[in-house]
Amino acid sequence: MADAQVKRAVSVVRLSSYTDVTTSPTTQSGNNEAEITRRGMIQVGEAMDLDVSGSKVSPFDRPQLGAWLRNPHLFDALVFRSIDRLCRNLKDFVTLLEWAEENGKQLICLNPDIDFSSMIGKVIAFILAAFAEMEGKAIGDRVRGARTHMRKVARWGAGRVSYGYRTCPHPDGVGYALEPDPETAPIIREAVLRVIAGEPMLSVVRLFNDRCIPTGQEVARNRRAEKANKKRGGKKKSAEELRSDDDRRRAGWAVPALRRILRSESLRNVVHSGEVIERDEDGMPLRYGESIVTDQEFRDLQAAIAKRADPDRAGRPPQAALLGILWCVCGDRMYRTPSKDHVAYRCKAGYEGRGVCPGASVHAAEVEEYVEREFLALTGDLPLLLRTVDPGEDHSGEIVEVEAAIDDLTRDRYEGGLFKGEKGETRYRTMMTNLETRLTSLHAAPRRPAGVKWVSTGVTYRQEWQSTSWTTRRERLRENGVRIEISGKISDGVPMLDRIRFDHRKPAATGSDEPMALEHWA
């Protein structure tokens, strides 16, 4: 114990994210400091826990206060503005009071001034703690009610906006809605189109990082910097300028983050709470506003992600830059293998002595340089097109969604016990009638076969090739139908150009599936 004449005090400050907007940390801190001085104590620290719920988080589990409570030898008293700043849970308060008595610590409440050592003081404190708990529950109920109401009217509340969107005035003139952000929505749309076209997410991530496309955190930081610079008359900095060398190593896009964005219902801008999607009177999903992708594109995207969800493939680097592009004349793949003097591509069948394969081989660096040169000579100045599927007029996806909405509505009524009373009955019948009418019209709608659509990315093949890795380059070669066949061995002494055939179907470069071949063959 410190000198009995001078007690060591810790100032306790707490603020919830939405329940205590009128009780600023600065006011709490100042009042606590004044009381510590008035009592002749010395302040040895401050436990300031901001954005921490007093109802849900025990004092012992809070980041700063919990650290002090785990080291009781460092202080003699806790000073706080009111009991609800200490906790909003009666059980937590009783536990903390018992802990203080066992450890010889003094609890000092400013408003009201309570003597916790007396029985009457404890009774008053218990009553105030109970009221604080009741108030916390009431606040939570009001917040949940407000959020539920805002979801039902498609109004955006507080919280972080999903990447690709920004807030905008709600059409009814009250509150906010969401709309695609002109700066970030095209980034997400490009990622969607690339993944639908079959490009690996790892390839998209590397491409975005190579182009220094900002992540959500970097966009927020850029905008804060832009706002500060505007006040000082400066100009906006690019994402690359905002990243230090260390930031570039730590920050940037990653596959898990991109996957979360692409799997999220927020791409459709629908109103939901967890797995529950809010629906309008027609039984269809409510939306905060215009969405980044269409419902059909979202379904195609989820199918593409599921197709590539093989855990053995996820994140695995390619075995070779030209794997699947380079073939032996025997029809077997060639693999990149190191040898004593050089790295080469060899036919696996010939290398293992299988069949009648003559065992083709070629220097890796030489053939990779050749492929790059020939491919860019043909496509380098052409706009990079992504092959996407045009769903046509097939409404099967919408039919499945409407049928699912009918099933959900039926379960809500007959299993969940919702839509009770006369008003509930009327609302249920209206929604069910609208859904069934929509389902009938979808079944009767004409159908048009799906086709292929080519979408421009705004860059040329050469621009992308120079700024990306061989993972992406290999995908470009594949989607353009490039197939290279090798005959003969390195040891034969015949030049590579006399042993190579370069076939280029060229569908992606021109937006056509018509083949085009360029051949070198001895």
Side-chain angles (χ1 to χ4, degrees), residues 10-15 25 29 32 43-53 57-72 74-75 77-78 85-86 96 99:
V10 174
S11 170
V12 177
V13 177
R14 186 188 63 78
L15 188 69
S29 182
N32 292 348
Q43 182 170 332
V44 294
E46 185 170 55
M48 182 173 291
D49 293 312
L50 306 183
D51 198 22
V52 175
S53 170
V57 183
S58 163
F60 295 91
D61 296 331
R62 290 174 201 161
Q64 295 200 19
L65 179 56
W68 282 102
L69 296 179
R70 287 189 292 273
N71 294 277
L74 298 178
F75 67 96
L78 296 177
R85 296 306 93 205
L86 195 61
L96 183 60
W99 176 91

Side-chain angles (χ1 to χ4, degrees), residues 7 10 15 80 88 103 107 115 158 171 174 177 200 231 270 274 303 310 368 391 487 495 505:
K7 289 189 175 183
V10 174
L15 188 69
F80 44 94
R88 282 189 179 275
N103 290 274
L107 301 182
D115 180 5
V174 179
K231 290 181 179 180
V270 298
D310 181 359
E368 288 169 5
S487 67
R505 297 257 168 201

